[in-house]
């Protein structure tokens, strides 16, 4: 039997303290946070003290009761962290900042318990553990060591102080980026200001103006408010014919959070310095070495070898692409053609793409209304993995009226998982980007009963405007597929121990495999034509446009790869060779690396590091390379379907079942290399990645 997540709790209980089931988002208020966390930490500290006294080094005597304590903490902290990402407000921030030190202190106390560490070391020798249990126990030993369990006295105090400071710096960094993004806007008022802008952007910009108090703003008459939020910023740079305005917007975007009260530069140096000290205290030379100790990549050198392989494979292509772009702009008699700047490249690339492939992103939008795209995505999940996905709106409280709720059922129509979808951009309260997070993790609750997993899927795409559904760019479609891939690993896991279910205990640089794998299916004929239908006429996407999408797939791919290599290498360099108190600044490092990883040097005012949340406020510190490490795996995994023939339905379903039974089902219960080999029958190769990216002949 399976148990569905529920929200039953005594009315008197602070809703942040329920500790299990679906969060009651309709009841959560910022003023409940402090009393809830104070109470929670008191309760859990007592439970921890008691367990340290009474535990036995067995699975039932240590791992299970400790999991219960961790899960209570994770439930409350998870809900709070989720709200910080999707419903940020001054009141919630104040509450979060007030309780964060106590939460970090408790988490540190938990991870540094000598009693538990010694218990797990004994338990690790127990021959009766299953492979999943063994992986969880081994990870517990390693994580305790990397959390400073072996430190004493002054070293321990220093380590714990650093943990605290890093948590605060990360929150501050993230808030600064959100505030800086929100603080800038460009208000356009004349027809001359909006020349070249597509109708979808004018609708969104008029909506932005109305939200800012211009009640009479319309798409036709303005005023139009352009923000630094991606659904606004991206299309503006691609389509605006006003070079001066593109320059203004670009400069504002790349210099976010780099001056005044919101300046993240000092936070970056402080963070890098503290991370280095932390690594040294644990016996590592650099923070990059510490980071890689938890990952699939064997060493920092192995990461740099992959970066160099991709850099050398893409550099010449990138040079040629920019030279072709310049020639194209010259042929159009563009005054700026001889000196294309960063804000010119998106515009001319879009123009060249439209000319070369006769393909216009904006003209494709009407064929990708969100409801249709979801149907296509759900049909793909059914085709590959044999599951059915249906709306379950109203069965769970939500944090915003736009949030949807869905149920996933297996072949016998039994629910096996649920997920929330929060699709639209809300720049005033929601951080940028897209992500998947855990709400509830699969687990055995009692003999024969399983707690079903629930996921959060969060995107930032164009909202419905002026009575039209959310009409998606093809890139937004790919992003939705990407996050859903993460979601599937969380939701289709067959592991019943929370410590290794879904994405838990999966090495960080393997965790993008599923997400990047699913993106490939956006180009699959059968998948695409199930979702690409005009929102008004229901006409399918014209075949010619599909062929153009395929042809344009690798347009400017050299530059795209080089850009990611630049980010990944800069991340590794800052966390390995950079000395925060040395002669070089972070900007010197950026410029030095740019010589080999960019075709054109960054602008003097380009301070993108100040908004690089992945590495300074997310989990990607010394791990941004993971996108490429995992893309090698995902491209090779998708090649398994190409080899049997994507049109061969029986073979696709059989391969899909194997993918589900290995990559999606096994979670963190086995090493990712073992999981990959179980699916593919061999180790991965970079061949498929270079082929898919158009850098190697098929």
């Amino acid at each position: 039997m399976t148990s569905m997540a529920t929200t039953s709790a005594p009315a008197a209980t602070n809703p942040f303290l329920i500790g299990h089931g679906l969060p009651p988002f309709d009841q959560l208020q910022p003023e409940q946070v402090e009393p809830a966390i104070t109470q929670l930490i008191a309760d859990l500290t007592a439970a921890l003290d008691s367990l340290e006294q009474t535990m036995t080094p067995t699975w039932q005597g240590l791992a299970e009761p400790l999991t219960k304590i961790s899960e209570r903490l994770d439930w409350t902290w998870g809900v709070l962290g989720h709200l910080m990402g999707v419903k940020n407000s001054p009141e919630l921030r104040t509450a979060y900042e007030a309780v964060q030190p106590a939460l970090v202190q408790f988490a540190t106390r938990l991870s540094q318990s000598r009693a538990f560490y010694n218990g797990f070391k004994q338990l690790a020798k127990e021959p009766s553990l299953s492979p999943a249990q063994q992986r969880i126990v081994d990870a517990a030993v390693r994580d305790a060591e990397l959390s400073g369990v072996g430190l004493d006295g002054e070293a321990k105090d220093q380590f714990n102080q650093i943990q605290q400071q890093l948590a605060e710096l990360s929150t501050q960094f993230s808030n600064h980026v959100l505030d800086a993004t929100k603080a800038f806007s460009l208000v356009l008022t004349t027809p001359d200001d909006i020349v070249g802008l597509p109708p979808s952007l004018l609708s969104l910009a008029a909506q932005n103006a109305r939200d800012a108090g211009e009640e009479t703003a319309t798409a036709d008459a303005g005023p139009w408010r352009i923000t630094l939020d991606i659904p606004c910023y991206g299309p503006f740079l691609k389509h605006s014919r006003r070079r001066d305005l593109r320059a203004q917007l670009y400069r504002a975007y790349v210099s976010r959070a780099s001056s005044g009260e919101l300046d993240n530069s000092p936070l970056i140096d402080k963070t890098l310095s503290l991370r280095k000290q932390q690594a040294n205290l644990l016996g590592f030379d650099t923070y990059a070495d510490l980071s890689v100790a938890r990952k699939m990549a064997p060493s920092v050198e192995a990461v740099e070898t992959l970066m160099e392989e991709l850099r050398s494979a893409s550099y010449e292509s990138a040079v040629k692409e920019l030279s072709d772009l310049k020639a194209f702009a010259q042929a159009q008699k563009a005054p700026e053609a001889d000196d294309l700047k960063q804000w010119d490249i998106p515009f001319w690339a879009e123009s060249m793409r439209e000319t070369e492939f006769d393909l216009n992103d904006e003209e494709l939008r009407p064929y990708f209304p969100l409801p249709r795209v979801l149907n296509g995505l759900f049909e793909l999940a059914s085709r590959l993995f044999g599951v059915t996905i249906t709306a379950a709106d109203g069965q769970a409280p939500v944090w915003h009226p736009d949030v949807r709720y869905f149920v996933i059922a297996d072949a016998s129509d039994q629910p096996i998982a649920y997920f929330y979808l929060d699709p639209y951009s809300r720049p005033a309260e929601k951080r940028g980007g897209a992500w998947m997070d855990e709400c509830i993790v699969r687990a055995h609750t009692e003999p024969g009963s399983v707690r079903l997993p629930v996921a959060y899927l969060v995107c930032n795409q164009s909202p419905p405007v002026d009575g039209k559904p959310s009409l998606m760019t093809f890139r937004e479609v790919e992003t939705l597929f990407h996050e859903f891939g993460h979601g599937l690993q969380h939701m289709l896991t067959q592991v019943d121990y929370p410590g290794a279910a879904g994405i838990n205990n999966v090495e960080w640089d393997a965790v993008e495999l599923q997400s990047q794998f699913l993106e490939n299916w956006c180009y699959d004929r059968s998948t695409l034509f199930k979702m690409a239908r005009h929102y008004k006429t229901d006409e399918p996407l014209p075949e010619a446009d599909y062929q153009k999408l395929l042809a344009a797939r690798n347009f400017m791919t050299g530059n795209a790869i080089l850009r990611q290599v630049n980010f990944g290498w800069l991340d590794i360099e800052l966390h390995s060779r950079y000395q925060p108190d040395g002669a070089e600044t972070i900007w010197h490092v950026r410029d030095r690396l740019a010589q080999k990883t960019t075709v054109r040097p960054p602008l003097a005012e380009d301070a993108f590091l100040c908004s690089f949340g992945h590495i300074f406020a997310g989990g990607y510190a010394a791990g941004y390379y993971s996108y490429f490490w995992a893309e090698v795996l995902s491209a090779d995994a998708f090649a398994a379907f190409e080899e049997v023939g994507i049109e061969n339905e029986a073979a696709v379903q059989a391969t899909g079942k194997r993918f589900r039974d290995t990559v999606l089902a096994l979670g963190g219960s086995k090493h990712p290399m073992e999981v990959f080999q179980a699916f593919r029958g061999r180790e991965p190769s970079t061949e498929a990645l270079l082929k898919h990216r158009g850098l190697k002949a098929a």
Side-chain angles (χ1 to χ4, degrees), residues 184-197 201-202 205 224-228 232-254 336 341-347 603 605:
F184 177 91
S185 66
L186 190 60
V187 178
L188 310 178
T189 53
T190 70
D192 186 44
D193 290 341
I194 59 164
V195 64
L197 300 186
L201 179 55
L202 294 174
W224 304 272
R225 186 168 175 261
I226 304 294
T227 67
L228 297 179
C232 221
Y233 171 78
F236 189 88
L237 242 58
K238 283 181 177 176
H239 298 287
S240 170
R241 293 186 184 278
R242 285 283 301 273
R243 189 184 189 213
D244 57 331
L245 296 180
R246 291 201 310 266
Q248 198 182 333
L249 203 68
Y250 179 85
R251 289 178 194 274
Y253 188 80
V254 297
E336 68 264 28
K341 298 284 191 213
Q342 277 83 346
W343 49 84
D344 298 320
I345 290 169
F347 175 80
L603 295 174
E605 72 265 42

Side-chain angles (χ1 to χ4, degrees), residues 51-357:
L51 183 60
E52 282 182 327
Q53 303 304 316
T54 58
M55 60 144 251
T56 53
T58 62
W59 187 260
Q60 288 74 23
L62 172 56
E64 284 183 359
L66 191 56
T67 297
K68 285 201 170 81
I69 293 174
S70 301
E71 289 214 306
R72 284 273 318 273
L73 177 68
D74 292 346
W75 190 92
T76 301
W77 202 349
V79 172
L80 184 52
H82 176 68
L83 289 174
M84 282 288 285
V86 296
K87 201 113 187 87
N88 202 299
S89 69
E91 297 76 21
L92 187 65
R93 259 185 212 192
T94 304
Y96 186 82
E97 283 161 16
V99 300
Q100 189 180 31
L103 281 166
V104 173
Q105 211 175 344
F106 178 78
T108 305
R109 152 94 171 79
L110 179 63
S111 62
Q112 290 179 345
S113 164
R114 291 269 170 98
F116 299 152
Y117 172 64
N118 293 330
F120 277 122
K121 279 183 81 167
Q122 269 181 274
L123 183 52
K125 301 181 191 128
E126 175 56 60
S128 64
L129 293 177
S130 71
Q133 289 173 324
Q134 187 71 53
R135 275 263 298 173
I136 290 169
V137 171
D138 291 345
V141 171
R142 180 201 64 202
D143 289 346
E145 289 169 355
L146 298 182
S147 299
V149 74
L151 300 176
D152 284 306
E154 205 179 313
K156 184 176 184 175
D157 292 344
Q158 193 188 347
F159 183 91
N160 293 351
Q161 215 177 338
I162 289 173
Q163 285 284 72
Q164 196 66 263
Q165 287 173 279
L166 284 173
E168 286 163 19
L169 286 168
S170 164
T171 303
Q172 229 179 324
F173 187 99
S174 192
N175 287 341
H176 283 179
V177 177
L178 186 70
D179 292 347
T181 305
K182 205 161 61 174
F184 177 91
S185 66
L186 190 60
V187 178
L188 310 178
T189 53
T190 70
D192 186 44
D193 290 341
I194 59 164
V195 64
L197 300 186
S200 61
L201 179 55
L202 294 174
S203 289
L204 180 58
Q207 174 75 59
N208 288 344
R210 290 196 294 275
D211 291 345
E214 292 281 354
E215 290 167 20
T216 58
T218 65
D220 295 331
W224 304 272
R225 186 168 175 261
I226 304 294
T227 67
L228 297 179
D229 209 36
I230 290 297
C232 221
Y233 171 78
F236 189 88
L237 242 58
K238 283 181 177 176
H239 298 287
S240 170
R241 293 186 184 278
R242 285 283 301 273
R243 189 184 189 213
D244 57 331
L245 296 180
R246 291 201 310 266
Q248 198 182 333
L249 203 68
Y250 179 85
R251 289 178 194 274
Y253 188 80
V254 297
S255 60
R256 282 179 304 159
S258 67
S259 63
E261 288 179 1
L262 301 177
D263 188 359
N264 272 339
S265 318
L267 271 54
I268 291 176
D269 259 333
K270 211 167 173 187
T271 298
L272 292 170
S273 174
L274 290 169
R275 284 176 179 167
K276 184 171 167 43
Q277 289 172 43
Q278 194 176 44
N280 295 161
L281 284 167
L282 293 174
F284 293 92
D285 287 341
T286 72
Y287 185 82
D289 294 317
L290 166 59
S291 171
V292 168
R294 283 192 167 99
K295 297 189 169 65
M296 191 177 171
S299 64
V300 172
E301 290 69 37
V303 171
E304 294 191 313
T305 301
L306 175 66
M307 288 293 155
E308 178 52 33
E309 189 178 341
L310 294 168
R311 188 200 71 81
S312 54
S314 59
Y315 193 86
E316 293 309 318
S317 295
V319 171
K320 184 178 184 314
E321 287 162 7
L322 285 182
S323 128
D324 291 349
L325 202 58
K326 184 176 174 180
F328 175 80
Q330 284 168 332
Q332 311 292 311
K333 306 277 189 288
E336 68 264 28
D338 292 334
D339 183 25
L340 289 184
K341 298 284 191 213
Q342 277 83 346
W343 49 84
D344 298 320
I345 290 169
F347 175 80
W348 286 107
E350 184 61 20
S351 184
M352 184 173 170
R353 186 170 167 269
E354 287 176 14
T355 306
E356 210 168 282
F357 304 102

Side-chain angles (χ1 to χ4, degrees), residues 7 531 657:
T7 52
M531 61 185 176
K657 183 177 184 327

